[in-house]
Amino acid sequence: MKIFSNKNFVAWYFVFPVAFIHLFVIGIPSLASLALCLTDWRGLGEINYIGFENFIELFDDRYLKKAIINNVIWTIAFLTVPVGIALTCAYLLTGIKRGQMFFRLAFFFPYMLASVINCQIWKYLFHPIHGLGGFFERIGWDFLAVSPFTMKSTSLFAVAFVDGWHFWGFLVVIYLTGMYQVDNHLYEAADIEGATKFQKFRYITLPMIRPVFVFSIMIIIIWSVPVFDYVYILTGGGPAYSSEVIANYMYSQAFERFDVGYSSAIGTLMFFYVMIIVALFGLFRKAGWDI
Amino acid sequence: MILKFFNVILLNGGIMIRTLISFVSLIILSTSYSALAKTKVTWSMESNADRDPIMIEKLQNAYNNSQGNYELVIEFEDNETRLTSMRTAMIGGMGPDIVETPGPSYVKEYHAAGMLENLDSYAAEFGWKDKMIPWAYSSGVFEGSLYAIPKTHESMVMLYNKTLFEENNWKVPTTLEELEDVAGKIKAKGMNVFSYGSDGWQPTHEHLVGIYLNNYAGPQAVYEAIIGEREWTDPVFVEALELLKKHMVDEGYWSGSLENYYAIGWDDFHAQFANRGAAMMTIGTWTFQATQLGIGASDDEWGWAPLPSLSSQSPDPNFMIAIGTTMSVNANGKNKDGAIDVLNWIMSNKDKVLDIAKDFEFGEMVVPLTLSSSDIPTDIAPQVQDYLSEYARITGEGNYGYCTWTFWPADPGVHIWKDMEVVWAGDISVEDFLYDHQKMWDKARKNGDTLPVPLRN
């Protein structure tokens, strides 16, 4: 009994309630989902074991392949555009003494809005009749006459743009926080050496905020896997699967086609993909990366 | 001692007697309340701000006032959320007493899982079969037994701006040639041919696919494909969908272009039709109320017509038949008798049901009860009165087609609209699309997932 009153056990008492809830809300459903991927369950009724049939079908599914490619494009887009803009803006903001809070609030504001609201704003802006397209058309310009959400060539980028618009303010805030931790003496020394603003950014700011930066890269890669809401609301994955992503495809299989077993197989793939990313970052940490 | 006891009672009697009386009254009241209290019957229903008050007043309250045994409680919820939560509850052996689904493919799933009550004995006892349109009754029959009753049935029609047509001496099209001719004239006036779009409801595409399959290939060919006597890869279906692709992508009949069709939603296409942005609209009969409130409130008069025949294989006008929503009894429900009583009230009170449908211009709660011409209310839009008579006459003659959301199993039912975008985008050919479609039907047939289809005369 003495062991339970040991000081080292106290932390476990605090962790236990959360761990208990996680076990029921995440742990057991996740295990059930892993088991369901080997069945033909349709969401109701009896469950039949079908071995790896769902996975065989999965590797032959051209729309899943399309969704995976779209997820990769999405990840690359998020690793470049919002990160680039956020880094630049955060760095420029550090030089602003008056009114900085206004810009921080303005950049962060879309992040506070619900995804449905963000989507409706942009849907209306790009609407061919009521939106900017309709407005420009009335004054004789064909600019934006067609909504980018409804064109096969632009739909994925248009959705990524809206999601990125909502997300980059968050990155600004975390980069800014990292930049404020940098010792000012380093910049003073660089000034004495005659370093330019870019050189200070490249050789002082960026290396010094590396933990924050790598963390942001990691969450972007992980969050890009289950991306769903913006795609679902803006395009539903269309037109012609051009903006289809894995999570949306998984949802469609489970709730439109009632193929829960197949949908679980897709979920299992996503799970292993995220596990690999987390493991990679774990390896980097072990290799001595400061993350 | 006895005197002393009475003395205590007399001294404290006021409080004691009052307490005793209160206690006894409480027991009597609670006993009478339980005797008088009605047993609750729950019904999970799709919510709609305009519709809900009418359902409360004319269905829930009307039923509750009609008898003393049960209390119907309708719980309104957004349809997508409702379907997921109802499904979860039913897996857990709970859920509402009356199970409302969006169509036979959902009923099929619940029935296969043994979650719905067999209604055969009630149908026989209360004579439901004789009260209903035969095809609608058979849509709820699974493995020889009745499991669902349609709450509403519907069809597809072509609406047109009558005033505009008269002003321009345009003829309402009844054939493909006439359609293409009038479409050219409408476009020359700078208007869209049809007002329609899929924003907010991607399955809108299946309305158009259904029209082209039934009105080009003909209902007989569609029927044969549904029952497995004809392949979906048959050239007649290929031609039907090639024609749809031509009209959608090359001609931009719907809202001017494929991209605009994707961008236009319910409010937009009603506004477009009302303000002469388009001359016609292909849509289901659920729209009658919105049409009456839209173009019906403008200076223009609207009319309707059966969808034009698109080939010699489908020469006569037909109406596609469809079930909008269904009602079943939860096999694990707390009050099955109450649920049956509610369904029987609906089936036995034609006047009450027609009164509800009337408030929606027969776009909702159109229970497929057999009607005579004298049953059709006279205080609805004259266009709707005409439609109801024509629908009864034409479908009564056996000229009816098949809507995809009522007769297609779940998997091919999603494929028919979701992958149609891939055809329109030019990523795959119509032949390849129909090849995939046939494979899905084969799989559904093999798994016993096909849905009831009424025998054709």
Side-chain angles (χ1 to χ4, degrees), chain A residues 23-94:
Chain A
L23 178 72
F24 280 92
V25 178
I26 297 171
I28 293 173
S30 301
L31 288 174
S33 180
L34 280 177
L36 284 173
C37 70
L38 303 173
T39 71
D40 66 350
W41 196 44
R42 298 186 61 78
L44 294 167
E46 62 180 44
I47 303 173
N48 301 310
Y49 173 76
I50 54 165
F52 287 94
E53 224 172 89
N54 284 328
F55 288 95
I56 296 164
E57 199 177 325
L58 209 135
F59 288 108
D60 201 29
D61 187 337
R62 63 173 176 264
Y63 297 125
L64 179 68
K65 283 176 195 158
K66 173 91 183 155
I68 292 170
I69 292 168
N70 283 348
N71 264 82
V72 172
I73 294 171
W74 184 281
T75 309
I76 294 168
F78 267 71
L79 285 174
T80 49
V81 183
V83 169
I85 297 174
L87 264 179
T88 313
C89 281
Y91 186 60
L92 293 175
L93 274 179
T94 54

Side-chain angles (χ1 to χ4, degrees), chain A residues 41-46 57 62-63 66 123-124 126-130 145-147 149-152 232-241 244 248-249 251-260, chain B residues 80 84 87 90-91 105-106 109-110 112-115 199-200 202 257-260 262-265 268 272 410-412 414-415 417-419 421-423 425-428 432 436 440 443 447 449:
Chain A
W41 196 44
R42 298 186 61 78
L44 294 167
E46 62 180 44
E57 199 177 325
R62 63 173 176 264
Y63 297 125
K66 173 91 183 155
K123 223 171 183 179
Y124 271 100
F126 287 142
H127 195 282
I129 299 169
H130 317 298
V146 178
S147 166
F149 298 125
T150 62
M151 285 192 291
K152 207 179 90 175
Y232 182 75
I233 300 165
L234 288 169
T235 62
Y241 293 94
E244 189 70 288
N248 196 59
Y249 192 64
Y251 174 86
S252 167
Q253 292 295 331
F255 297 103
E256 285 171 354
R257 298 182 193 240
F258 303 123
D259 206 342
V260 178
Chain B
E80 214 158 315
T84 314
R87 185 156 127 165
M90 288 180 73
I91 291 170
S105 63
Y106 284 79
E109 300 291 330
Y110 283 122
M115 292 175 177
D199 181 44
Q202 220 178 341
S257 70
L258 176 65
E259 288 77 17
N260 281 359
Y262 287 144
I264 301 286
D268 295 323
Q272 192 183 145
D411 213 10
V414 174
H415 180 256
W417 55 264
K418 194 148 189 155
D419 289 27
E421 289 186 359
V422 188
V423 175
D427 290 351
I428 62 167
D432 288 344
D436 289 344
M440 288 183 188
K443 192 178 166 190
N447 295 340
D449 289 337

Side-chain angles (χ1 to χ4, degrees), chain A residues 66-213:
Chain A
K66 173 91 183 155
I68 292 170
I69 292 168
N70 283 348
N71 264 82
V72 172
I73 294 171
W74 184 281
T75 309
I76 294 168
F78 267 71
L79 285 174
T80 49
V81 183
V83 169
I85 297 174
L87 264 179
T88 313
C89 281
Y91 186 60
L92 293 175
L93 274 179
T94 54
I96 295 177
K97 300 290 173 223
R98 296 181 69 182
Q100 195 204 66
M101 190 52 78
F102 168 77
F103 286 106
R104 281 164 73 169
L105 267 176
F107 295 159
F108 193 67
F109 187 70
Y111 192 73
M112 295 191 290
L113 293 176
S115 50
V116 178
I117 296 169
N118 278 328
C119 290
Q120 288 305 331
I121 290 170
W122 285 99
K123 223 171 183 179
Y124 271 100
L125 281 173
F126 287 142
H127 195 282
I129 299 169
H130 317 298
L132 292 171
F135 171 76
F136 285 126
E137 209 172 14
R138 280 189 283 278
I139 56 172
W141 294 350
D142 272 351
F143 179 64
L144 282 178
V146 178
S147 166
F149 298 125
T150 62
M151 285 192 291
K152 207 179 90 175
S153 54
T154 54
S155 64
L156 181 70
F157 297 104
V159 180
F161 166 75
V162 177
D163 197 356
W165 174 77
H166 126 273
F167 181 66
W168 78 281
F170 169 75
L171 290 179
V172 170
V173 171
I174 63 164
Y175 290 154
L176 208 53
T177 313
M179 286 174 191
Y180 278 125
Q181 308 299 317
V182 181
D183 191 342
N184 220 24
H185 290 110
L186 296 170
Y187 292 114
E188 284 168 8
D191 283 337
I192 292 165
E193 296 292 330
T196 63
K197 215 167 171 55
F198 178 75
Q199 284 171 326
K200 282 191 280 184
F201 175 75
R202 168 72 184 80
Y203 296 106
I204 300 172
T205 311
L206 214 49
M208 294 308 285
I209 65 161
R210 198 172 72 174
V212 174
F213 182 72

Side-chain angles (χ1 to χ4, degrees), chain B residues 345-361:
Chain B
W345 183 86
I346 291 170
M347 300 299 292
S348 311
N349 286 279
K350 195 192 276 183
D351 55 332
K352 298 267 196 305
V353 173
L354 287 173
D355 190 41
I356 302 173
K358 189 190 79 182
D359 284 359
F360 306 128
E361 295 287 353

